[in-house]
Amino acid sequence: MGSDGWPVSGRPAEEVLARMDAYRRHDADWRRGRTFSLVYHADQGVADLARRAYEMFMAENALSPVAFPSLRRFEADVVRMTADLLGGGPDVAGTMTSGGSESILLAVKTARDWGRAERGVFDPEMVLPVTAHPAFLKAAHYFGVRAVVVPVGRDLRADVEAVRRAVSPRTVLIVGSAPAYPHGVVDPIEDMARVAAQRGTLFHTDACLGGFLLPFLQRLGRPIPPFGLDVPGVTSVSADVHKYGYAAKGASVILYRDAALRRHQFFACTDWPGGLYGSPGLLGTRPGGAIAAAWAVMNHLGEEGYLRLARRVIETADRFRDGIEAIPGMRILGDPPGSVMAFTFERGDVYRLGDEMERRGWHLDRQQLPPSLHLMLTPAHERVVDDFLRDLREAADEVERAGDEGVSGMAAIYGMAAALPERGEVRDLILDFLGQLLDGGGGD
Ligand SMILES: *Cc1c(COP(=O)(O)O)cnc(C)c1O
């Protein structure tokens, strides 16, 4: 791929745009429903509205809560609407953030500072299932909170007894997911939050993925267990508007049971020559476009719009699930109630199956522990179910025929990672690979 330096004299706008268009030639083809992560697409009308709203407020900066009352209004409305969706009463307080990771980082930082102030804990711990999103471990890494990782049960949901045993006097936060990304299953939030309440710790539900989908599936009569702020013991919830909220990238919401808890999230600097400085989240400058687009899409779709989309998503997910389970040797892991799922393959190497699907133009994320392929379904996948299942059947037969000769592609990388005895070596592999990619290597 390489990278180019500065052009000495600038290029005309049209030429710049044409080059950019050429560079996207090999990008993941999400518009045709060929990818199963990263992009959440409702329809062209929603995407156009998000783009127009984003453009309208592209220059505005939500760093200052004073300069742009419009953005303040949008943010307050988005937070309120999200709270209404997730069981929040009148006391609930929140902020918008740049994404799920920022929401999670802030929930952990809030718990750390709450633990210091309210419980005198200076060497804090948090308890989380192994399926919790890596953003929690990133938060542990950034903020000096010890992560106590517990296993999940046979159903791949958090093991409540393991959680209970892992809690110590230093625990400031317990985490559960609705759903967890790897297998799409919802943790037993009610039981976990009860442990938190009994032990006097905070509890965060990570609904980054499900926050804008599960409540609508509930209304459609699907068996979704309670997970929101109406569950006793749940003290914060994160939900990404840029996932099943179908907003522009850069929009998530973090909610707390009340404003006193949220206050631990904030930062203030009193002695800077540049003035008195207060900031709600991790970012300084906050892009107005992302906030405006979230508001626009939520108002445009309304509850009925989200309900309609949720119905399409779940019906599509049902077809994928039934079709996959009908293929010999394939199995959905756990019992995911929504649109995110993973499947294994017993007639051959599941990573090779992933590579075979790649050759047929389908990009599926690979997972480990156990090896599986991942699906995140949106309305964009409605039209591809039959093509996908046909290719999947063919790819499965192909992998079974080939046995284990000539492994390449992602199967080789995951094979190598599995063969390394030390997780530290795998870590080095990832860090080196990341560096190479960012320096312009990889791809073509
Ligand atoms: C996507 C996701 C996150 C992180 O969100 P980003 O927007 O990618 O930072 C956290 N938790 C779950 C369950 C997710 O699916």
Side-chain angles (χ1 to χ4, degrees):
M1 187 161 75
S3 49
D4 300 322
W6 280 100
V8 175
S9 43
R11 301 188 172 107
E14 286 314 314
E15 188 192 319
V16 170
L17 291 171
R19 282 174 78 117
M20 292 169 76
D21 205 38
Y23 285 156
R24 49 180 2 183
R25 195 168 63 238
H26 297 296
D27 283 2
D29 187 4
W30 56 268
R31 281 186 189 76
R32 288 174 47 231
R34 297 248 149 188
T35 60
F36 296 90
S37 64
L38 304 173
V39 178
Y40 297 72
H41 184 62
D43 59 49
Q44 202 50 47
V46 171
D48 285 343
L49 172 65
R51 186 177 47 71
R52 284 165 61 195
Y54 200 105
E55 233 169 58
M56 208 169 154
F57 285 87
M58 197 179 69
E60 277 74 3
N61 187 343
L63 165 61
S64 164
V66 188
F68 305 109
S70 56
L71 293 180
R72 207 161 71 227
R73 175 67 193 270
F74 298 152
E75 179 166 6
D77 287 355
V78 167
V79 166
R80 188 64 255 166
M81 286 188 272
T82 308
D84 287 346
L85 201 57
L86 299 176
D91 290 341
V92 165
T95 62
M96 285 188 72
T97 71
S98 61
S101 295
E102 188 186 354
S103 292
I104 288 168
L105 288 166
L106 291 172
V108 175
K109 182 251 186 239
T110 297
R112 184 197 65 179
D113 291 1
W114 169 88
R116 281 181 194 163
E118 304 292 328
R119 298 231 333 253
V121 174
F122 289 88
D123 48 357
E125 297 176 356
M126 82 178 136
V127 176
L128 69 164
V130 64
T131 47
H133 194 274
F136 289 99
L137 298 174
K138 194 185 211 177
H141 178 68
Y142 284 7
F143 299 134
V145 176
R146 196 167 87 87
V148 181
V149 178
V150 297
V152 291
R154 289 175 59 87
D155 59 2
L156 301 169
R157 301 159 75 226
D159 178 340
V160 180
E161 283 316 307
V163 169
R164 195 190 305 278
R165 283 194 301 273
V167 174
S168 86
R170 295 174 297 281
T171 307
V172 293
L173 181 68
I174 300 176
V175 171
S177 309
Y181 184 85
H183 315 113
V185 298
V186 179
D187 285 328
I189 302 295
E190 284 182 296
D191 295 339
M192 297 171 81
R194 190 174 308 118
V195 174
Q198 282 163 354
R199 300 297 297 271
T201 83
L202 299 180
F203 184 92
H204 182 83
T205 299
D206 177 8
C208 282
L209 192 49
F212 286 88
L213 181 67
L214 298 186
F216 296 105
L217 295 183
Q218 259 162 357
R219 290 181 204 182
L220 290 171
R222 295 280 172 152
I224 309 291
F227 62 91
L229 284 156
D230 48 341
V231 174
V234 172
T235 53
S236 59
V237 178
S238 50
D240 293 353
V241 204
H242 68 200
K243 288 185 179 157
Y244 285 104
Y246 305 108
K249 294 275 187 295
S252 172
V253 175
I254 171 81
L255 299 170
Y256 298 96
R257 70 175 170 209
D258 55 37
L261 185 55
R262 182 185 63 178
R263 199 162 182 273
H264 292 290
Q265 176 184 302
F266 297 165
F267 171 79
C269 178
T270 54
D271 303 321
W272 185 41
L276 297 172
Y277 184 99
S279 158
L282 294 183
L283 303 188
T285 289
R286 294 202 297 153
I291 295 171
W295 188 89
V297 169
M298 288 170 79
N299 273 282
H300 174 62
L301 284 172
E303 293 186 295
E304 283 174 13
Y306 281 109
L307 201 60
R308 246 186 342 264
L309 288 165
R311 188 190 302 277
R312 286 173 58 194
V313 166
I314 197 67
E315 284 173 359
T316 302
D318 287 345
R319 289 172 64 203
F320 269 89
R321 186 174 168 159
D322 293 347
I324 290 168
E325 283 181 324
I327 299 175
M330 281 191 201
R331 188 166 59 85
I332 303 283
L333 291 171
D335 185 15
S339 57
V340 173
M341 61 190 82
F343 60 96
T344 56
F345 182 52
E346 278 147 24
R347 286 152 56 206
D349 182 345
V350 74
Y351 297 138
R352 298 193 66 167
L353 182 64
D355 290 345
E356 273 304 320
M357 287 301 278
E358 197 89 46
R359 287 207 312 116
R360 289 167 169 78
W362 304 97
H363 183 79
L364 295 158
D365 284 349
R366 280 67 163 177
Q367 302 199 125
Q368 56 176 354
L369 314 165
S372 62
L373 298 176
H374 188 260
L375 290 171
M376 179 283 289
L377 301 166
T378 69
H381 299 109
E382 211 168 36
R383 291 174 293 122
V384 303
V385 185
D386 294 332
D387 289 350
F388 176 87
L389 292 172
R390 187 200 58 231
D391 282 354
L392 188 61
R393 272 190 299 273
E394 280 178 22
D397 292 343
E398 179 70 32
V399 170
E400 186 176 38
R401 256 197 311 278
D404 45 25
E405 58 199 56
V407 177
S408 62
M410 290 294 279
I413 293 179
Y414 271 86
M416 184 159 63
L420 292 172
E422 292 280 339
R423 296 318 276 175
E425 292 178 48
V426 180
R427 183 173 174 274
D428 286 341
L429 190 77
I430 296 172
L431 297 183
D432 292 343
F433 186 56
L434 211 52
Q436 284 162 21
L437 285 178
L438 290 173
D439 293 338
D444 59 334

